[in-house]
Amino acid sequence: MAVDWASLPPDLIYRLADTVLATDDIDYYMDFRAVCRAWRASTADPKANPADPRFHPRRWVALDEVHHDDECRLFVNLATGRFVRKDMPILRKYFVVAGAGGGQLVLAERNAPHAARVLNPFTGGMIRFKAAVPSSEMEVVAHVIGSSLVLVCGKSRAIYRADPDDKYFYFPNLEETRFSVPLVWTTLVGGIYAAACEDEGTFTSRFSPVVYKIRLLVKSLFSDHFTAEEIDALDDDFIVESEGETLIVFKLLRDMKVFKLDTFTDMVHPVKDLGNRALFVSNSRCLSVDASKFPSVVGNCIYHFVTENISTLDFSVRVYSLENKSDFTLHLGTPPLTVVHLLICHASNVRASQLGREVMLASLAEQEKALGSLFGRHESDDVDDGDSDDGDDD
């Protein structure tokens, strides 16, 4: 017997839609609502309230491809391994400033004063801000918490925050308004700040305790878990949010160590096995993925350094195996891009803000124009002097 899908009880339709949202498949939720009028009437419209956290993507990232179309973006769900390519002609109307957690995009109006916008690529919903994006920043990483937008800027080491009705982005009242400690940067871009702020609380009350407690916990590690030789060999450290846990990875000259930081109990636990998880770490961004969902990604490994041969476009990445306690080189070859290539490039690179680049180019053009005018005046003066000399000879 044929089923009249449009006549399903509203409660059942609502529950079915909720199961789609539970897996963070927001694009499927939009397809679900498009089936018929009855299904749309029984489910919430994400565009009606773009700030509703139910419709904010959480496990997605917008990948930075080597070759990309400005109107097209490739997204991947880190929990399920599902890739989605979306054409977004709307990007032509804005400057793309940064990618935000969950795959959302931070935009700026093309016309001054360049008001901020946050676009949800899966619903088309947009949170509109009165505040203008800081136009001089080139390296920007963003977090969207509810309807608040936080911009973390790599060059100036500044942290900006604004709500939709704020007239300006402002510096939160933190001990370090302009952060100078690399650990603070990695905490912010690694998603630890975003995870800490999902509960109620102000930016300062939620962010400050977490970051500074992490700093104290990290300092306590050295006396208990490192020899003097290992401390001397310490090369770098990275903070990663992995399945709700805070991990810190220490890179030594010939070894790597992983610890789990518990900011609630103030405990630190060595991690000997990541299971199916694989970490992609760099000073720009860090990712944790389920290796079983991604072909060619090996679990219990840390992908930590990428090299590129400019002349041949060959890519290689250094991989550390926690099981074997050894490093090896994975040769990725040339494009077309592999899954590993896409993930490590996303972790290693923060795409420059289009607004920041436009402002920089405009400034250079003004400087060139000013120099041209200056040299033009000098040449004119030289000609005038030459004419005067000729007259004197006569």
Side-chain angles (χ1 to χ4, degrees), residues 273-309:
D273 194 329
L274 294 170
N276 281 334
R277 307 303 297 183
L279 306 181
F280 291 77
V281 300
S282 82
N283 289 320
S284 296
R285 272 189 292 232
C286 299
L287 303 173
S288 171
V289 304
D290 184 345
S292 66
K293 306 294 184 181
F294 292 90
S296 73
V297 176
V298 182
N300 203 25
C301 286
I302 303 169
Y303 295 73
H304 62 93
F305 186 72
V306 63
T307 59
E308 177 184 4
N309 186 316

mmCIF file of all heavy atoms in Angstrom, residues 273-309:
data_model
loop_
_atom_site.group_PDB
_atom_site.id
_atom_site.type_symbol
_atom_site.label_atom_id
_atom_site.label_comp_id
_atom_site.label_asym_id
_atom_site.label_seq_id
_atom_site.Cartn_x
_atom_site.Cartn_y
_atom_site.Cartn_z
ATOM 1 N N ASP A 273 48.038 5.739 23.500
ATOM 2 C CA ASP A 273 47.338 5.183 22.339
ATOM 3 C C ASP A 273 46.161 6.083 22.005
ATOM 4 O O ASP A 273 45.321 6.369 22.856
ATOM 5 C CB ASP A 273 46.853 3.764 22.656
ATOM 6 C CG ASP A 273 46.415 3.006 21.412
ATOM 7 O OD1 ASP A 273 45.926 3.659 20.472
ATOM 8 O OD2 ASP A 273 46.559 1.776 21.379
ATOM 9 N N LEU A 274 46.090 6.519 20.743
ATOM 10 C CA LEU A 274 44.982 7.354 20.285
ATOM 11 C C LEU A 274 43.840 6.538 19.704
ATOM 12 O O LEU A 274 42.821 7.099 19.302
ATOM 13 C CB LEU A 274 45.476 8.347 19.225
ATOM 14 C CG LEU A 274 46.466 9.417 19.686
ATOM 15 C CD1 LEU A 274 47.045 10.145 18.471
ATOM 16 C CD2 LEU A 274 45.789 10.415 20.615
ATOM 17 N N GLY A 275 43.992 5.229 19.663
ATOM 18 C CA GLY A 275 42.961 4.385 19.070
ATOM 19 C C GLY A 275 42.821 4.677 17.590
ATOM 20 O O GLY A 275 43.808 4.724 16.843
ATOM 21 N N ASN A 276 41.575 4.897 17.142
ATOM 22 C CA ASN A 276 41.328 5.207 15.736
ATOM 23 C C ASN A 276 41.551 6.673 15.392
ATOM 24 O O ASN A 276 41.410 7.060 14.234
ATOM 25 C CB ASN A 276 39.887 4.829 15.349
ATOM 26 C CG ASN A 276 39.736 3.340 15.101
ATOM 27 O OD1 ASN A 276 40.700 2.676 14.740
ATOM 28 N ND2 ASN A 276 38.540 2.818 15.319
ATOM 29 N N ARG A 277 41.862 7.483 16.382
ATOM 30 C CA ARG A 277 42.036 8.907 16.121
ATOM 31 C C ARG A 277 43.381 9.180 15.460
ATOM 32 O O ARG A 277 44.388 8.506 15.717
ATOM 33 C CB ARG A 277 41.951 9.731 17.405
ATOM 34 C CG ARG A 277 40.736 9.522 18.246
ATOM 35 C CD ARG A 277 39.439 9.789 17.511
ATOM 36 N NE ARG A 277 39.287 11.171 17.072
ATOM 37 C CZ ARG A 277 38.193 11.621 16.463
ATOM 38 N NH1 ARG A 277 37.177 10.793 16.205
ATOM 39 N NH2 ARG A 277 38.108 12.882 16.104
ATOM 40 N N ALA A 278 43.404 10.156 14.583
ATOM 41 C CA ALA A 278 44.638 10.658 13.982
ATOM 42 C C ALA A 278 44.646 12.167 14.165
ATOM 43 O O ALA A 278 43.608 12.826 14.018
ATOM 44 C CB ALA A 278 44.714 10.306 12.501
ATOM 45 N N LEU A 279 45.807 12.718 14.504
ATOM 46 C CA LEU A 279 45.928 14.151 14.744
ATOM 47 C C LEU A 279 46.699 14.805 13.611
ATOM 48 O O LEU A 279 47.708 14.274 13.141
ATOM 49 C CB LEU A 279 46.650 14.419 16.071
ATOM 50 C CG LEU A 279 46.092 13.739 17.325
ATOM 51 C CD1 LEU A 279 46.902 14.138 18.545
ATOM 52 C CD2 LEU A 279 44.615 14.062 17.526
ATOM 53 N N PHE A 280 46.217 15.966 13.172
ATOM 54 C CA PHE A 280 46.916 16.803 12.202
ATOM 55 C C PHE A 280 47.245 18.100 12.917
ATOM 56 O O PHE A 280 46.338 18.850 13.297
ATOM 57 C CB PHE A 280 46.039 17.064 10.975
ATOM 58 C CG PHE A 280 45.805 15.847 10.121
ATOM 59 C CD1 PHE A 280 44.890 14.875 10.508
ATOM 60 C CD2 PHE A 280 46.497 15.665 8.926
ATOM 61 C CE1 PHE A 280 44.673 13.742 9.730
ATOM 62 C CE2 PHE A 280 46.294 14.541 8.149
ATOM 63 C CZ PHE A 280 45.377 13.578 8.543
ATOM 64 N N VAL A 281 48.533 18.360 13.142
ATOM 65 C CA VAL A 281 48.911 19.492 13.991
ATOM 66 C C VAL A 281 49.859 20.429 13.256
ATOM 67 O O VAL A 281 50.661 20.015 12.415
ATOM 68 C CB VAL A 281 49.570 19.014 15.306
ATOM 69 C CG1 VAL A 281 48.610 18.139 16.101
ATOM 70 C CG2 VAL A 281 50.868 18.259 15.044
ATOM 71 N N SER A 282 49.726 21.714 13.586
ATOM 72 C CA SER A 282 50.638 22.742 13.092
ATOM 73 C C SER A 282 50.451 23.959 13.980
ATOM 74 O O SER A 282 49.573 23.997 14.843
ATOM 75 C CB SER A 282 50.342 23.098 11.629
ATOM 76 O OG SER A 282 49.275 24.013 11.545
ATOM 77 N N ASN A 283 51.275 24.984 13.752
ATOM 78 C CA ASN A 283 51.148 26.215 14.519
ATOM 79 C C ASN A 283 49.976 27.068 14.056
ATOM 80 O O ASN A 283 49.661 28.080 14.683
ATOM 81 C CB ASN A 283 52.445 27.029 14.429
ATOM 82 C CG ASN A 283 53.574 26.374 15.203
ATOM 83 O OD1 ASN A 283 53.358 25.858 16.290
ATOM 84 N ND2 ASN A 283 54.770 26.373 14.637
ATOM 85 N N SER A 284 49.340 26.675 12.965
ATOM 86 C CA SER A 284 48.182 27.422 12.473
ATOM 87 C C SER A 284 46.872 26.832 12.977
ATOM 88 O O SER A 284 46.015 27.544 13.499
ATOM 89 C CB SER A 284 48.177 27.440 10.940
ATOM 90 O OG SER A 284 49.300 28.126 10.449
ATOM 91 N N ARG A 285 46.716 25.506 12.815
ATOM 92 C CA ARG A 285 45.479 24.837 13.220
ATOM 93 C C ARG A 285 45.782 23.400 13.554
ATOM 94 O O ARG A 285 46.780 22.845 13.099
ATOM 95 C CB ARG A 285 44.432 24.888 12.096
ATOM 96 C CG ARG A 285 43.551 26.108 12.108
ATOM 97 C CD ARG A 285 42.421 25.961 11.106
ATOM 98 N NE ARG A 285 42.904 25.986 9.741
ATOM 99 C CZ ARG A 285 42.421 26.796 8.793
ATOM 100 N NH1 ARG A 285 41.461 27.641 9.093
ATOM 101 N NH2 ARG A 285 42.889 26.756 7.568
ATOM 102 N N CYS A 286 44.890 22.787 14.342
ATOM 103 C CA CYS A 286 45.025 21.370 14.677
ATOM 104 C C CYS A 286 43.684 20.685 14.477
ATOM 105 O O CYS A 286 42.627 21.261 14.746
ATOM 106 C CB CYS A 286 45.482 21.186 16.122
ATOM 107 S SG CYS A 286 47.092 21.911 16.474
ATOM 108 N N LEU A 287 43.734 19.435 14.017
ATOM 109 C CA LEU A 287 42.526 18.655 13.770
ATOM 110 C C LEU A 287 42.665 17.280 14.392
ATOM 111 O O LEU A 287 43.758 16.720 14.468
ATOM 112 C CB LEU A 287 42.273 18.480 12.270
ATOM 113 C CG LEU A 287 42.140 19.721 11.389
ATOM 114 C CD1 LEU A 287 42.078 19.285 9.926
ATOM 115 C CD2 LEU A 287 40.897 20.514 11.758
ATOM 116 N N SER A 288 41.531 16.722 14.812
ATOM 117 C CA SER A 288 41.470 15.329 15.248
ATOM 118 C C SER A 288 40.385 14.646 14.437
ATOM 119 O O SER A 288 39.248 15.127 14.381
ATOM 120 C CB SER A 288 41.138 15.248 16.741
ATOM 121 O OG SER A 288 40.868 13.918 17.133
ATOM 122 N N VAL A 289 40.723 13.545 13.774
ATOM 123 C CA VAL A 289 39.755 12.861 12.914
ATOM 124 C C VAL A 289 39.693 11.381 13.281
ATOM 125 O O VAL A 289 40.633 10.826 13.854
ATOM 126 C CB VAL A 289 40.117 13.012 11.415
ATOM 127 C CG1 VAL A 289 40.249 14.471 11.033
ATOM 128 C CG2 VAL A 289 41.392 12.262 11.070
ATOM 129 N N ASP A 290 38.571 10.759 12.935
ATOM 130 C CA ASP A 290 38.411 9.320 13.075
ATOM 131 C C ASP A 290 39.007 8.669 11.832
ATOM 132 O O ASP A 290 38.444 8.753 10.739
ATOM 133 C CB ASP A 290 36.924 8.980 13.217
ATOM 134 C CG ASP A 290 36.677 7.495 13.468
ATOM 135 O OD1 ASP A 290 37.606 6.684 13.245
ATOM 136 O OD2 ASP A 290 35.558 7.131 13.867
ATOM 137 N N ALA A 291 40.163 8.043 11.981
ATOM 138 C CA ALA A 291 40.892 7.502 10.829
ATOM 139 C C ALA A 291 40.095 6.439 10.088
ATOM 140 O O ALA A 291 40.283 6.248 8.882
ATOM 141 C CB ALA A 291 42.229 6.930 11.287
ATOM 142 N N SER A 292 39.196 5.737 10.781
ATOM 143 C CA SER A 292 38.412 4.693 10.120
ATOM 144 C C SER A 292 37.437 5.269 9.101
ATOM 145 O O SER A 292 36.920 4.540 8.256
ATOM 146 C CB SER A 292 37.654 3.864 11.156
ATOM 147 O OG SER A 292 36.669 4.644 11.817
ATOM 148 N N LYS A 293 37.188 6.565 9.167
ATOM 149 C CA LYS A 293 36.253 7.215 8.240
ATOM 150 C C LYS A 293 36.948 7.820 7.035
ATOM 151 O O LYS A 293 36.284 8.276 6.099
ATOM 152 C CB LYS A 293 35.464 8.307 8.965
ATOM 153 C CG LYS A 293 34.748 7.866 10.232
ATOM 154 C CD LYS A 293 33.635 6.881 9.940
ATOM 155 C CE LYS A 293 32.878 6.524 11.227
ATOM 156 N NZ LYS A 293 31.798 5.538 10.967
ATOM 157 N N PHE A 294 38.285 7.856 7.061
ATOM 158 C CA PHE A 294 39.022 8.517 5.995
ATOM 159 C C PHE A 294 40.007 7.548 5.353
ATOM 160 O O PHE A 294 40.955 7.099 6.013
ATOM 161 C CB PHE A 294 39.795 9.724 6.537
ATOM 162 C CG PHE A 294 38.919 10.858 6.985
ATOM 163 C CD1 PHE A 294 38.458 10.919 8.292
ATOM 164 C CD2 PHE A 294 38.547 11.868 6.104
ATOM 165 C CE1 PHE A 294 37.647 11.949 8.717
ATOM 166 C CE2 PHE A 294 37.741 12.908 6.514
ATOM 167 C CZ PHE A 294 37.287 12.953 7.824
ATOM 168 N N PRO A 295 39.820 7.222 4.081
ATOM 169 C CA PRO A 295 40.768 6.350 3.387
ATOM 170 C C PRO A 295 42.172 6.949 3.408
ATOM 171 O O PRO A 295 42.348 8.150 3.234
ATOM 172 C CB PRO A 295 40.216 6.301 1.954
ATOM 173 C CG PRO A 295 38.789 6.708 2.068
ATOM 174 C CD PRO A 295 38.708 7.654 3.219
ATOM 175 N N SER A 296 43.148 6.113 3.632
ATOM 176 C CA SER A 296 44.575 6.451 3.630
ATOM 177 C C SER A 296 45.053 7.150 4.892
ATOM 178 O O SER A 296 46.265 7.355 5.064
ATOM 179 C CB SER A 296 44.970 7.294 2.397
ATOM 180 O OG SER A 296 44.483 8.616 2.507
ATOM 181 N N VAL A 297 44.143 7.536 5.801
ATOM 182 C CA VAL A 297 44.570 8.113 7.079
ATOM 183 C C VAL A 297 44.795 6.978 8.070
ATOM 184 O O VAL A 297 43.936 6.103 8.235
ATOM 185 C CB VAL A 297 43.524 9.101 7.629
ATOM 186 C CG1 VAL A 297 43.947 9.624 9.012
ATOM 187 C CG2 VAL A 297 43.341 10.271 6.667
ATOM 188 N N VAL A 298 45.946 6.966 8.738
ATOM 189 C CA VAL A 298 46.309 5.899 9.663
ATOM 190 C C VAL A 298 46.032 6.347 11.094
ATOM 191 O O VAL A 298 46.456 7.425 11.516
ATOM 192 C CB VAL A 298 47.798 5.524 9.513
ATOM 193 C CG1 VAL A 298 48.165 4.377 10.452
ATOM 194 C CG2 VAL A 298 48.092 5.139 8.064
ATOM 195 N N GLY A 299 45.310 5.521 11.839
ATOM 196 C CA GLY A 299 45.000 5.835 13.222
ATOM 197 C C GLY A 299 46.212 5.732 14.130
ATOM 198 O O GLY A 299 47.223 5.115 13.778
ATOM 199 N N ASN A 300 46.095 6.351 15.307
ATOM 200 C CA ASN A 300 47.168 6.343 16.309
ATOM 201 C C ASN A 300 48.441 6.993 15.776
ATOM 202 O O ASN A 300 49.548 6.624 16.155
ATOM 203 C CB ASN A 300 47.466 4.917 16.782
ATOM 204 C CG ASN A 300 48.131 4.880 18.149
ATOM 205 O OD1 ASN A 300 47.978 5.800 18.949
ATOM 206 N ND2 ASN A 300 48.873 3.828 18.422
ATOM 207 N N CYS A 301 48.264 7.954 14.869
ATOM 208 C CA CYS A 301 49.406 8.667 14.273
ATOM 209 C C CYS A 301 49.195 10.174 14.354
ATOM 210 O O CYS A 301 48.061 10.655 14.455
ATOM 211 C CB CYS A 301 49.605 8.262 12.808
ATOM 212 S SG CYS A 301 50.323 6.623 12.586
ATOM 213 N N ILE A 302 50.306 10.893 14.287
ATOM 214 C CA ILE A 302 50.282 12.351 14.312
ATOM 215 C C ILE A 302 50.936 12.859 13.030
ATOM 216 O O ILE A 302 52.122 12.602 12.779
ATOM 217 C CB ILE A 302 51.031 12.905 15.539
ATOM 218 C CG1 ILE A 302 50.433 12.345 16.829
ATOM 219 C CG2 ILE A 302 50.977 14.434 15.556
ATOM 220 C CD1 ILE A 302 51.269 12.634 18.061
ATOM 221 N N TYR A 303 50.165 13.550 12.206
ATOM 222 C CA TYR A 303 50.666 14.150 10.974
ATOM 223 C C TYR A 303 51.091 15.576 11.326
ATOM 224 O O TYR A 303 50.258 16.403 11.700
ATOM 225 C CB TYR A 303 49.579 14.165 9.906
ATOM 226 C CG TYR A 303 49.135 12.783 9.455
ATOM 227 C CD1 TYR A 303 48.358 11.968 10.275
ATOM 228 C CD2 TYR A 303 49.499 12.289 8.197
ATOM 229 C CE1 TYR A 303 47.956 10.700 9.875
ATOM 230 C CE2 TYR A 303 49.099 11.029 7.780
ATOM 231 C CZ TYR A 303 48.332 10.238 8.624
ATOM 232 O OH TYR A 303 47.930 8.979 8.217
ATOM 233 N N HIS A 304 52.401 15.870 11.207
ATOM 234 C CA HIS A 304 52.850 17.094 11.855
ATOM 235 C C HIS A 304 53.712 18.016 11.018
ATOM 236 O O HIS A 304 54.033 19.121 11.460
ATOM 237 C CB HIS A 304 53.611 16.745 13.143
ATOM 238 C CG HIS A 304 54.850 15.933 12.934
ATOM 239 N ND1 HIS A 304 56.082 16.510 12.785
ATOM 240 C CD2 HIS A 304 55.043 14.588 12.856
ATOM 241 C CE1 HIS A 304 56.993 15.554 12.629
ATOM 242 N NE2 HIS A 304 56.383 14.383 12.664
ATOM 243 N N PHE A 305 54.134 17.657 9.846
ATOM 244 C CA PHE A 305 54.982 18.577 9.084
ATOM 245 C C PHE A 305 54.819 18.288 7.606
ATOM 246 O O PHE A 305 54.911 17.136 7.177
ATOM 247 C CB PHE A 305 56.448 18.434 9.495
ATOM 248 C CG PHE A 305 57.353 19.446 8.852
ATOM 249 C CD1 PHE A 305 57.315 20.773 9.251
ATOM 250 C CD2 PHE A 305 58.230 19.073 7.847
ATOM 251 C CE1 PHE A 305 58.149 21.707 8.658
ATOM 252 C CE2 PHE A 305 59.070 20.008 7.252
ATOM 253 C CZ PHE A 305 59.021 21.327 7.665
ATOM 254 N N VAL A 306 54.573 19.333 6.833
ATOM 255 C CA VAL A 306 54.395 19.162 5.394
ATOM 256 C C VAL A 306 55.473 19.941 4.657
ATOM 257 O O VAL A 306 55.862 21.038 5.060
ATOM 258 C CB VAL A 306 52.986 19.636 4.948
ATOM 259 C CG1 VAL A 306 52.799 21.124 5.200
ATOM 260 C CG2 VAL A 306 52.730 19.313 3.482
ATOM 261 N N THR A 307 56.005 19.343 3.600
ATOM 262 C CA THR A 307 56.991 20.017 2.755
ATOM 263 C C THR A 307 56.489 19.996 1.318
ATOM 264 O O THR A 307 55.807 19.060 0.891
ATOM 265 C CB THR A 307 58.359 19.315 2.823
ATOM 266 O OG1 THR A 307 58.212 17.947 2.400
ATOM 267 C CG2 THR A 307 58.907 19.355 4.224
ATOM 268 N N GLU A 308 56.844 21.039 0.578
ATOM 269 C CA GLU A 308 56.412 21.150 -0.814
ATOM 270 C C GLU A 308 57.601 21.522 -1.676
ATOM 271 O O GLU A 308 58.352 22.442 -1.353
ATOM 272 C CB GLU A 308 55.323 22.218 -0.956
ATOM 273 C CG GLU A 308 54.863 22.439 -2.387
ATOM 274 C CD GLU A 308 53.863 23.562 -2.507
ATOM 275 O OE1 GLU A 308 53.577 24.217 -1.490
ATOM 276 O OE2 GLU A 308 53.367 23.794 -3.630
ATOM 277 N N ASN A 309 57.759 20.785 -2.761
ATOM 278 C CA ASN A 309 58.766 21.117 -3.763
ATOM 279 C C ASN A 309 58.121 22.100 -4.745
ATOM 280 O O ASN A 309 57.228 21.741 -5.506
ATOM 281 C CB ASN A 309 59.241 19.858 -4.491
ATOM 282 C CG ASN A 309 60.389 20.130 -5.442
ATOM 283 O OD1 ASN A 309 60.389 21.090 -6.180
ATOM 284 N ND2 ASN A 309 61.384 19.241 -5.409
#
